[in-house]
Amino acid sequence: MKKIRLAYSEDIVRLKEIWQRCFGDTDSFIDFYFTHRFKAEQTAVYLQDNSIAAMLTMIPIQWVDGISKGIKIDGAMLYAIATHPDYQHQGIATELMGWAKNYLQDRQVELCVLVPAEAHLFKFYAQQGYQVGFAVQETVLSAEEMRASSEPGFPCSVRPTTSLVYNRIRNQLLQGSIYIAYGEEEIAYQKRVSQLSGEDIYELNFNGTQGCAAVERMDEKRVLIKELILSANLIPEGLGALAQKIAAKEFIMRTPAGSMTMGGQIRPFGMLTTSNAELLGKTGYLGLAFD
């Protein structure tokens, strides 16, 4: 017998087990997630014979079309979609995603977004009615390349910032484009994740002109800049300043598609499904995906 419902707080032990079995994260990170991000009312679970077989999270987001008079549409990012190995290959995740979509639509949430974890999953989600709606430019640079990109003496400071300031800078710089906006709570969670890794979310300042970067440390030598948002003409100096601030030999960087002039590739990043025809056929910037 099957049942789909929102999670209860007493489900956490089972949800942690599914998370570990499916994603392979450490117990410490899983505990961190369930302490700082888990919300029962944003989590859907699929029960088979009274045992939780699958889960997903619905993170509130907003689709902003700054090109078309600032149209804003409420949405949700489907995140941490996982089926316990004992129940996989039965279509359970697909059914749970369908339930989540209907649940959200009943609450006037018109948009579902997700980020496929692997390239081959784009085809799988396309079969579920999702289409590519977000792209990212991904570039790998050495610290030497980053430092060499900037002009000597060009003033740029890099310092940790608050989630409120970060989100304000982010939204200001993305005005006039199509992008996903987040609540301050989501940015605060990203800050905690960055700090847990040994890095932070940063404000870049060029004599009053601002930018922002969300950074996570992957290991002693590599960092991931999950998003760098900066005026295109200031990116070389921003890269140099980040390389001076952050001790690493290699930087994996994500920026809005087309903003980087130092190589890399533009690739599909996120997918969406919606009943709102205004959103279809457009490509925007998703940025933080909590991946």
PDB file of all heavy atoms in Angstrom, residues 44-80:
ATOM      1  N   ALA A  44       8.451  16.232   0.884  1.00  0.00           N
ATOM      2  CA  ALA A  44       7.432  15.227   0.541  1.00  0.00           C
ATOM      3  C   ALA A  44       8.045  13.840   0.641  1.00  0.00           C
ATOM      4  O   ALA A  44       9.208  13.631   0.283  1.00  0.00           O
ATOM      5  CB  ALA A  44       6.903  15.459  -0.869  1.00  0.00           C
ATOM      6  N   VAL A  45       7.261  12.891   1.145  1.00  0.00           N
ATOM      7  CA  VAL A  45       7.759  11.519   1.285  1.00  0.00           C
ATOM      8  C   VAL A  45       6.761  10.534   0.671  1.00  0.00           C
ATOM      9  O   VAL A  45       5.552  10.767   0.673  1.00  0.00           O
ATOM     10  CB  VAL A  45       8.008  11.159   2.773  1.00  0.00           C
ATOM     11  CG1 VAL A  45       9.124  12.015   3.357  1.00  0.00           C
ATOM     12  CG2 VAL A  45       6.743  11.317   3.597  1.00  0.00           C
ATOM     13  N   TYR A  46       7.309   9.460   0.151  1.00  0.00           N
ATOM     14  CA  TYR A  46       6.522   8.383  -0.464  1.00  0.00           C
ATOM     15  C   TYR A  46       6.646   7.158   0.435  1.00  0.00           C
ATOM     16  O   TYR A  46       7.759   6.677   0.699  1.00  0.00           O
ATOM     17  CB  TYR A  46       7.069   8.086  -1.855  1.00  0.00           C
ATOM     18  CG  TYR A  46       6.294   7.079  -2.687  1.00  0.00           C
ATOM     19  CD1 TYR A  46       5.591   7.491  -3.802  1.00  0.00           C
ATOM     20  CD2 TYR A  46       6.292   5.716  -2.367  1.00  0.00           C
ATOM     21  CE1 TYR A  46       4.893   6.576  -4.593  1.00  0.00           C
ATOM     22  CE2 TYR A  46       5.596   4.792  -3.133  1.00  0.00           C
ATOM     23  CZ  TYR A  46       4.900   5.234  -4.244  1.00  0.00           C
ATOM     24  OH  TYR A  46       4.209   4.324  -5.019  1.00  0.00           O
ATOM     25  N   LEU A  47       5.532   6.674   0.930  1.00  0.00           N
ATOM     26  CA  LEU A  47       5.527   5.499   1.805  1.00  0.00           C
ATOM     27  C   LEU A  47       5.039   4.267   1.045  1.00  0.00           C
ATOM     28  O   LEU A  47       4.058   4.329   0.290  1.00  0.00           O
ATOM     29  CB  LEU A  47       4.629   5.725   3.016  1.00  0.00           C
ATOM     30  CG  LEU A  47       5.161   6.654   4.110  1.00  0.00           C
ATOM     31  CD1 LEU A  47       4.997   8.119   3.720  1.00  0.00           C
ATOM     32  CD2 LEU A  47       4.459   6.381   5.435  1.00  0.00           C
ATOM     33  N   GLN A  48       5.737   3.188   1.239  1.00  0.00           N
ATOM     34  CA  GLN A  48       5.332   1.891   0.704  1.00  0.00           C
ATOM     35  C   GLN A  48       5.181   0.951   1.901  1.00  0.00           C
ATOM     36  O   GLN A  48       6.157   0.694   2.616  1.00  0.00           O
ATOM     37  CB  GLN A  48       6.384   1.353  -0.268  1.00  0.00           C
ATOM     38  CG  GLN A  48       6.007   0.070  -0.972  1.00  0.00           C
ATOM     39  CD  GLN A  48       4.965   0.280  -2.062  1.00  0.00           C
ATOM     40  OE1 GLN A  48       5.090   1.168  -2.883  1.00  0.00           O
ATOM     41  NE2 GLN A  48       3.919  -0.538  -2.048  1.00  0.00           N
ATOM     42  N   ASP A  49       3.959   0.473   2.124  1.00  0.00           N
ATOM     43  CA  ASP A  49       3.693  -0.397   3.280  1.00  0.00           C
ATOM     44  C   ASP A  49       4.202   0.221   4.575  1.00  0.00           C
ATOM     45  O   ASP A  49       4.890  -0.422   5.385  1.00  0.00           O
ATOM     46  CB  ASP A  49       4.321  -1.781   3.058  1.00  0.00           C
ATOM     47  CG  ASP A  49       3.724  -2.496   1.854  1.00  0.00           C
ATOM     48  OD1 ASP A  49       2.530  -2.283   1.579  1.00  0.00           O
ATOM     49  OD2 ASP A  49       4.467  -3.234   1.187  1.00  0.00           O
ATOM     50  N   ASN A  50       3.891   1.516   4.740  1.00  0.00           N
ATOM     51  CA  ASN A  50       4.205   2.281   5.954  1.00  0.00           C
ATOM     52  C   ASN A  50       5.687   2.559   6.169  1.00  0.00           C
ATOM     53  O   ASN A  50       6.081   3.037   7.238  1.00  0.00           O
ATOM     54  CB  ASN A  50       3.643   1.585   7.201  1.00  0.00           C
ATOM     55  CG  ASN A  50       2.129   1.550   7.199  1.00  0.00           C
ATOM     56  OD1 ASN A  50       1.480   2.529   6.823  1.00  0.00           O
ATOM     57  ND2 ASN A  50       1.561   0.415   7.593  1.00  0.00           N
ATOM     58  N   SER A  51       6.513   2.273   5.158  1.00  0.00           N
ATOM     59  CA  SER A  51       7.937   2.581   5.245  1.00  0.00           C
ATOM     60  C   SER A  51       8.268   3.653   4.202  1.00  0.00           C
ATOM     61  O   SER A  51       7.841   3.550   3.049  1.00  0.00           O
ATOM     62  CB  SER A  51       8.783   1.335   4.992  1.00  0.00           C
ATOM     63  OG  SER A  51      10.159   1.645   5.040  1.00  0.00           O
ATOM     64  N   ILE A  52       9.019   4.672   4.609  1.00  0.00           N
ATOM     65  CA  ILE A  52       9.367   5.736   3.664  1.00  0.00           C
ATOM     66  C   ILE A  52      10.347   5.192   2.631  1.00  0.00           C
ATOM     67  O   ILE A  52      11.430   4.726   2.965  1.00  0.00           O
ATOM     68  CB  ILE A  52       9.972   6.947   4.390  1.00  0.00           C
ATOM     69  CG1 ILE A  52       8.942   7.561   5.333  1.00  0.00           C
ATOM     70  CG2 ILE A  52      10.446   7.998   3.387  1.00  0.00           C
ATOM     71  CD1 ILE A  52       9.464   8.726   6.153  1.00  0.00           C
ATOM     72  N   ALA A  53       9.924   5.255   1.377  1.00  0.00           N
ATOM     73  CA  ALA A  53      10.732   4.728   0.279  1.00  0.00           C
ATOM     74  C   ALA A  53      11.458   5.822  -0.493  1.00  0.00           C
ATOM     75  O   ALA A  53      12.480   5.556  -1.129  1.00  0.00           O
ATOM     76  CB  ALA A  53       9.841   3.936  -0.684  1.00  0.00           C
ATOM     77  N   ALA A  54      10.933   7.057  -0.477  1.00  0.00           N
ATOM     78  CA  ALA A  54      11.530   8.133  -1.258  1.00  0.00           C
ATOM     79  C   ALA A  54      11.193   9.477  -0.630  1.00  0.00           C
ATOM     80  O   ALA A  54      10.254   9.601   0.167  1.00  0.00           O
ATOM     81  CB  ALA A  54      11.039   8.088  -2.702  1.00  0.00           C
ATOM     82  N   MET A  55      11.976  10.493  -1.024  1.00  0.00           N
ATOM     83  CA  MET A  55      11.772  11.831  -0.475  1.00  0.00           C
ATOM     84  C   MET A  55      12.186  12.863  -1.504  1.00  0.00           C
ATOM     85  O   MET A  55      12.949  12.588  -2.442  1.00  0.00           O
ATOM     86  CB  MET A  55      12.606  12.020   0.793  1.00  0.00           C
ATOM     87  CG  MET A  55      14.110  11.990   0.544  1.00  0.00           C
ATOM     88  SD  MET A  55      15.071  12.222   2.071  1.00  0.00           S
ATOM     89  CE  MET A  55      16.736  12.361   1.388  1.00  0.00           C
ATOM     90  N   LEU A  56      11.700  14.074  -1.339  1.00  0.00           N
ATOM     91  CA  LEU A  56      12.196  15.232  -2.077  1.00  0.00           C
ATOM     92  C   LEU A  56      11.877  16.489  -1.279  1.00  0.00           C
ATOM     93  O   LEU A  56      10.980  16.501  -0.440  1.00  0.00           O
ATOM     94  CB  LEU A  56      11.622  15.315  -3.498  1.00  0.00           C
ATOM     95  CG  LEU A  56      10.128  15.514  -3.741  1.00  0.00           C
ATOM     96  CD1 LEU A  56       9.652  16.947  -3.476  1.00  0.00           C
ATOM     97  CD2 LEU A  56       9.791  15.170  -5.196  1.00  0.00           C
ATOM     98  N   THR A  57      12.636  17.547  -1.561  1.00  0.00           N
ATOM     99  CA  THR A  57      12.446  18.831  -0.893  1.00  0.00           C
ATOM    100  C   THR A  57      11.990  19.862  -1.906  1.00  0.00           C
ATOM    101  O   THR A  57      12.429  19.846  -3.059  1.00  0.00           O
ATOM    102  CB  THR A  57      13.763  19.283  -0.231  1.00  0.00           C
ATOM    103  OG1 THR A  57      14.133  18.324   0.753  1.00  0.00           O
ATOM    104  CG2 THR A  57      13.625  20.637   0.436  1.00  0.00           C
ATOM    105  N   MET A  58      11.105  20.768  -1.483  1.00  0.00           N
ATOM    106  CA  MET A  58      10.582  21.838  -2.338  1.00  0.00           C
ATOM    107  C   MET A  58      11.066  23.177  -1.792  1.00  0.00           C
ATOM    108  O   MET A  58      10.497  23.706  -0.841  1.00  0.00           O
ATOM    109  CB  MET A  58       9.051  21.774  -2.369  1.00  0.00           C
ATOM    110  CG  MET A  58       8.508  20.450  -2.903  1.00  0.00           C
ATOM    111  SD  MET A  58       6.707  20.228  -2.660  1.00  0.00           S
ATOM    112  CE  MET A  58       6.637  19.800  -0.897  1.00  0.00           C
ATOM    113  N   ILE A  59      12.161  23.703  -2.355  1.00  0.00           N
ATOM    114  CA  ILE A  59      12.752  24.951  -1.883  1.00  0.00           C
ATOM    115  C   ILE A  59      12.071  26.131  -2.570  1.00  0.00           C
ATOM    116  O   ILE A  59      12.031  26.192  -3.796  1.00  0.00           O
ATOM    117  CB  ILE A  59      14.264  24.981  -2.171  1.00  0.00           C
ATOM    118  CG1 ILE A  59      14.976  23.847  -1.421  1.00  0.00           C
ATOM    119  CG2 ILE A  59      14.856  26.333  -1.795  1.00  0.00           C
ATOM    120  CD1 ILE A  59      16.458  23.741  -1.731  1.00  0.00           C
ATOM    121  N   PRO A  60      11.541  27.083  -1.817  1.00  0.00           N
ATOM    122  CA  PRO A  60      10.882  28.237  -2.449  1.00  0.00           C
ATOM    123  C   PRO A  60      11.871  29.077  -3.262  1.00  0.00           C
ATOM    124  O   PRO A  60      12.979  29.379  -2.794  1.00  0.00           O
ATOM    125  CB  PRO A  60      10.341  29.030  -1.261  1.00  0.00           C
ATOM    126  CG  PRO A  60      10.336  28.079  -0.106  1.00  0.00           C
ATOM    127  CD  PRO A  60      11.468  27.135  -0.345  1.00  0.00           C
ATOM    128  N   ILE A  61      11.474  29.454  -4.464  1.00  0.00           N
ATOM    129  CA  ILE A  61      12.267  30.323  -5.327  1.00  0.00           C
ATOM    130  C   ILE A  61      11.320  31.285  -6.027  1.00  0.00           C
ATOM    131  O   ILE A  61      10.099  31.178  -5.905  1.00  0.00           O
ATOM    132  CB  ILE A  61      13.067  29.513  -6.381  1.00  0.00           C
ATOM    133  CG1 ILE A  61      12.098  28.679  -7.244  1.00  0.00           C
ATOM    134  CG2 ILE A  61      14.135  28.644  -5.733  1.00  0.00           C
ATOM    135  CD1 ILE A  61      12.749  28.020  -8.440  1.00  0.00           C
ATOM    136  N   GLN A  62      11.879  32.190  -6.789  1.00  0.00           N
ATOM    137  CA  GLN A  62      11.065  33.092  -7.605  1.00  0.00           C
ATOM    138  C   GLN A  62      11.734  33.298  -8.953  1.00  0.00           C
ATOM    139  O   GLN A  62      12.929  33.582  -9.024  1.00  0.00           O
ATOM    140  CB  GLN A  62      10.877  34.444  -6.899  1.00  0.00           C
ATOM    141  CG  GLN A  62       9.831  35.336  -7.539  1.00  0.00           C
ATOM    142  CD  GLN A  62       9.568  36.580  -6.706  1.00  0.00           C
ATOM    143  OE1 GLN A  62      10.462  37.405  -6.502  1.00  0.00           O
ATOM    144  NE2 GLN A  62       8.340  36.725  -6.215  1.00  0.00           N
ATOM    145  N   TRP A  63      10.959  33.118 -10.005  1.00  0.00           N
ATOM    146  CA  TRP A  63      11.432  33.347 -11.383  1.00  0.00           C
ATOM    147  C   TRP A  63      11.209  34.807 -11.708  1.00  0.00           C
ATOM    148  O   TRP A  63      10.095  35.323 -11.595  1.00  0.00           O
ATOM    149  CB  TRP A  63      10.648  32.448 -12.332  1.00  0.00           C
ATOM    150  CG  TRP A  63      11.132  32.396 -13.749  1.00  0.00           C
ATOM    151  CD1 TRP A  63      12.094  31.576 -14.270  1.00  0.00           C
ATOM    152  CD2 TRP A  63      10.620  33.149 -14.858  1.00  0.00           C
ATOM    153  NE1 TRP A  63      12.224  31.775 -15.624  1.00  0.00           N
ATOM    154  CE2 TRP A  63      11.334  32.739 -16.004  1.00  0.00           C
ATOM    155  CE3 TRP A  63       9.637  34.134 -14.987  1.00  0.00           C
ATOM    156  CZ2 TRP A  63      11.098  33.268 -17.266  1.00  0.00           C
ATOM    157  CZ3 TRP A  63       9.396  34.683 -16.238  1.00  0.00           C
ATOM    158  CH2 TRP A  63      10.120  34.248 -17.359  1.00  0.00           C
ATOM    159  N   VAL A  64      12.292  35.499 -12.073  1.00  0.00           N
ATOM    160  CA  VAL A  64      12.221  36.928 -12.359  1.00  0.00           C
ATOM    161  C   VAL A  64      12.600  37.166 -13.809  1.00  0.00           C
ATOM    162  O   VAL A  64      13.674  36.739 -14.259  1.00  0.00           O
ATOM    163  CB  VAL A  64      13.167  37.727 -11.434  1.00  0.00           C
ATOM    164  CG1 VAL A  64      13.071  39.223 -11.746  1.00  0.00           C
ATOM    165  CG2 VAL A  64      12.843  37.466  -9.972  1.00  0.00           C
ATOM    166  N   ASP A  65      11.727  37.824 -14.543  1.00  0.00           N
ATOM    167  CA  ASP A  65      12.008  38.207 -15.933  1.00  0.00           C
ATOM    168  C   ASP A  65      12.225  39.710 -15.961  1.00  0.00           C
ATOM    169  O   ASP A  65      11.285  40.487 -16.103  1.00  0.00           O
ATOM    170  CB  ASP A  65      10.852  37.810 -16.854  1.00  0.00           C
ATOM    171  CG  ASP A  65      11.172  38.052 -18.330  1.00  0.00           C
ATOM    172  OD1 ASP A  65      12.172  38.761 -18.605  1.00  0.00           O
ATOM    173  OD2 ASP A  65      10.439  37.553 -19.198  1.00  0.00           O
ATOM    174  N   GLY A  66      13.466  40.123 -15.796  1.00  0.00           N
ATOM    175  CA  GLY A  66      13.790  41.537 -15.805  1.00  0.00           C
ATOM    176  C   GLY A  66      13.756  42.146 -17.181  1.00  0.00           C
ATOM    177  O   GLY A  66      13.858  43.366 -17.326  1.00  0.00           O
ATOM    178  N   ILE A  67      13.622  41.305 -18.211  1.00  0.00           N
ATOM    179  CA  ILE A  67      13.528  41.807 -19.582  1.00  0.00           C
ATOM    180  C   ILE A  67      12.103  42.259 -19.876  1.00  0.00           C
ATOM    181  O   ILE A  67      11.881  43.250 -20.569  1.00  0.00           O
ATOM    182  CB  ILE A  67      13.971  40.715 -20.579  1.00  0.00           C
ATOM    183  CG1 ILE A  67      15.435  40.328 -20.313  1.00  0.00           C
ATOM    184  CG2 ILE A  67      13.799  41.186 -22.021  1.00  0.00           C
ATOM    185  CD1 ILE A  67      15.907  39.135 -21.118  1.00  0.00           C
ATOM    186  N   SER A  68      11.127  41.512 -19.341  1.00  0.00           N
ATOM    187  CA  SER A  68       9.718  41.791 -19.617  1.00  0.00           C
ATOM    188  C   SER A  68       9.050  42.464 -18.425  1.00  0.00           C
ATOM    189  O   SER A  68       8.220  41.860 -17.727  1.00  0.00           O
ATOM    190  CB  SER A  68       8.991  40.490 -19.978  1.00  0.00           C
ATOM    191  OG  SER A  68       9.591  39.853 -21.087  1.00  0.00           O
ATOM    192  N   LYS A  69       9.457  43.707 -18.148  1.00  0.00           N
ATOM    193  CA  LYS A  69       8.809  44.526 -17.121  1.00  0.00           C
ATOM    194  C   LYS A  69       8.854  43.897 -15.726  1.00  0.00           C
ATOM    195  O   LYS A  69       7.943  44.077 -14.924  1.00  0.00           O
ATOM    196  CB  LYS A  69       7.358  44.824 -17.517  1.00  0.00           C
ATOM    197  CG  LYS A  69       7.230  45.567 -18.838  1.00  0.00           C
ATOM    198  CD  LYS A  69       5.773  45.832 -19.183  1.00  0.00           C
ATOM    199  CE  LYS A  69       5.669  46.543 -20.528  1.00  0.00           C
ATOM    200  NZ  LYS A  69       4.251  46.806 -20.909  1.00  0.00           N
ATOM    201  N   GLY A  70       9.895  43.132 -15.451  1.00  0.00           N
ATOM    202  CA  GLY A  70      10.080  42.615 -14.100  1.00  0.00           C
ATOM    203  C   GLY A  70       9.040  41.623 -13.637  1.00  0.00           C
ATOM    204  O   GLY A  70       8.682  41.585 -12.462  1.00  0.00           O
ATOM    205  N   ILE A  71       8.537  40.793 -14.544  1.00  0.00           N
ATOM    206  CA  ILE A  71       7.550  39.773 -14.171  1.00  0.00           C
ATOM    207  C   ILE A  71       8.170  38.816 -13.147  1.00  0.00           C
ATOM    208  O   ILE A  71       9.295  38.345 -13.310  1.00  0.00           O
ATOM    209  CB  ILE A  71       7.081  38.998 -15.411  1.00  0.00           C
ATOM    210  CG1 ILE A  71       6.304  39.935 -16.347  1.00  0.00           C
ATOM    211  CG2 ILE A  71       6.210  37.803 -15.020  1.00  0.00           C
ATOM    212  CD1 ILE A  71       5.956  39.309 -17.688  1.00  0.00           C
ATOM    213  N   LYS A  72       7.428  38.520 -12.081  1.00  0.00           N
ATOM    214  CA  LYS A  72       7.901  37.609 -11.042  1.00  0.00           C
ATOM    215  C   LYS A  72       6.879  36.498 -10.835  1.00  0.00           C
ATOM    216  O   LYS A  72       5.688  36.779 -10.712  1.00  0.00           O
ATOM    217  CB  LYS A  72       8.135  38.362  -9.731  1.00  0.00           C
ATOM    218  CG  LYS A  72       9.212  39.438  -9.827  1.00  0.00           C
ATOM    219  CD  LYS A  72       9.404  40.157  -8.498  1.00  0.00           C
ATOM    220  CE  LYS A  72      10.496  41.218  -8.612  1.00  0.00           C
ATOM    221  NZ  LYS A  72      10.710  41.926  -7.324  1.00  0.00           N
ATOM    222  N   ILE A  73       7.358  35.258 -10.820  1.00  0.00           N
ATOM    223  CA  ILE A  73       6.469  34.106 -10.683  1.00  0.00           C
ATOM    224  C   ILE A  73       7.020  33.191  -9.594  1.00  0.00           C
ATOM    225  O   ILE A  73       8.192  32.810  -9.615  1.00  0.00           O
ATOM    226  CB  ILE A  73       6.352  33.344 -12.028  1.00  0.00           C
ATOM    227  CG1 ILE A  73       5.698  34.263 -13.083  1.00  0.00           C
ATOM    228  CG2 ILE A  73       5.560  32.061 -11.858  1.00  0.00           C
ATOM    229  CD1 ILE A  73       5.710  33.691 -14.477  1.00  0.00           C
ATOM    230  N   ASP A  74       6.181  32.831  -8.631  1.00  0.00           N
ATOM    231  CA  ASP A  74       6.608  31.947  -7.553  1.00  0.00           C
ATOM    232  C   ASP A  74       6.858  30.534  -8.064  1.00  0.00           C
ATOM    233  O   ASP A  74       6.126  30.020  -8.927  1.00  0.00           O
ATOM    234  CB  ASP A  74       5.544  31.902  -6.456  1.00  0.00           C
ATOM    235  CG  ASP A  74       5.455  33.204  -5.677  1.00  0.00           C
ATOM    236  OD1 ASP A  74       6.453  33.951  -5.659  1.00  0.00           O
ATOM    237  OD2 ASP A  74       4.394  33.476  -5.097  1.00  0.00           O
ATOM    238  N   GLY A  75       7.892  29.910  -7.524  1.00  0.00           N
ATOM    239  CA  GLY A  75       8.223  28.552  -7.928  1.00  0.00           C
ATOM    240  C   GLY A  75       8.852  27.781  -6.789  1.00  0.00           C
ATOM    241  O   GLY A  75       8.959  28.266  -5.653  1.00  0.00           O
ATOM    242  N   ALA A  76       9.271  26.565  -7.092  1.00  0.00           N
ATOM    243  CA  ALA A  76       9.952  25.717  -6.115  1.00  0.00           C
ATOM    244  C   ALA A  76      11.044  24.931  -6.831  1.00  0.00           C
ATOM    245  O   ALA A  76      10.855  24.475  -7.962  1.00  0.00           O
ATOM    246  CB  ALA A  76       8.977  24.765  -5.440  1.00  0.00           C
ATOM    247  N   MET A  77      12.177  24.804  -6.167  1.00  0.00           N
ATOM    248  CA  MET A  77      13.238  23.945  -6.674  1.00  0.00           C
ATOM    249  C   MET A  77      13.092  22.574  -6.018  1.00  0.00           C
ATOM    250  O   MET A  77      13.114  22.460  -4.790  1.00  0.00           O
ATOM    251  CB  MET A  77      14.616  24.526  -6.348  1.00  0.00           C
ATOM    252  CG  MET A  77      15.778  23.661  -6.823  1.00  0.00           C
ATOM    253  SD  MET A  77      17.385  24.287  -6.250  1.00  0.00           S
ATOM    254  CE  MET A  77      17.478  25.841  -7.130  1.00  0.00           C
ATOM    255  N   LEU A  78      12.922  21.548  -6.844  1.00  0.00           N
ATOM    256  CA  LEU A  78      12.870  20.191  -6.313  1.00  0.00           C
ATOM    257  C   LEU A  78      14.302  19.737  -6.062  1.00  0.00           C
ATOM    258  O   LEU A  78      15.130  19.693  -6.973  1.00  0.00           O
ATOM    259  CB  LEU A  78      12.153  19.263  -7.289  1.00  0.00           C
ATOM    260  CG  LEU A  78      10.720  19.664  -7.665  1.00  0.00           C
ATOM    261  CD1 LEU A  78      10.053  18.548  -8.454  1.00  0.00           C
ATOM    262  CD2 LEU A  78       9.887  20.023  -6.436  1.00  0.00           C
ATOM    263  N   TYR A  79      14.587  19.383  -4.840  1.00  0.00           N
ATOM    264  CA  TYR A  79      15.957  19.170  -4.383  1.00  0.00           C
ATOM    265  C   TYR A  79      16.021  17.889  -3.567  1.00  0.00           C
ATOM    266  O   TYR A  79      15.031  17.476  -2.943  1.00  0.00           O
ATOM    267  CB  TYR A  79      16.378  20.376  -3.533  1.00  0.00           C
ATOM    268  CG  TYR A  79      17.720  20.255  -2.856  1.00  0.00           C
ATOM    269  CD1 TYR A  79      18.899  20.359  -3.586  1.00  0.00           C
ATOM    270  CD2 TYR A  79      17.808  20.059  -1.479  1.00  0.00           C
ATOM    271  CE1 TYR A  79      20.138  20.282  -2.955  1.00  0.00           C
ATOM    272  CE2 TYR A  79      19.040  19.981  -0.839  1.00  0.00           C
ATOM    273  CZ  TYR A  79      20.201  20.091  -1.587  1.00  0.00           C
ATOM    274  OH  TYR A  79      21.423  19.996  -0.966  1.00  0.00           O
ATOM    275  N   ALA A  80      17.205  17.254  -3.558  1.00  0.00           N
ATOM    276  CA  ALA A  80      17.426  16.031  -2.773  1.00  0.00           C
ATOM    277  C   ALA A  80      16.351  14.984  -3.082  1.00  0.00           C
ATOM    278  O   ALA A  80      15.756  14.403  -2.177  1.00  0.00           O
ATOM    279  CB  ALA A  80      17.477  16.345  -1.282  1.00  0.00           C
TER     280      ALA A  80
END
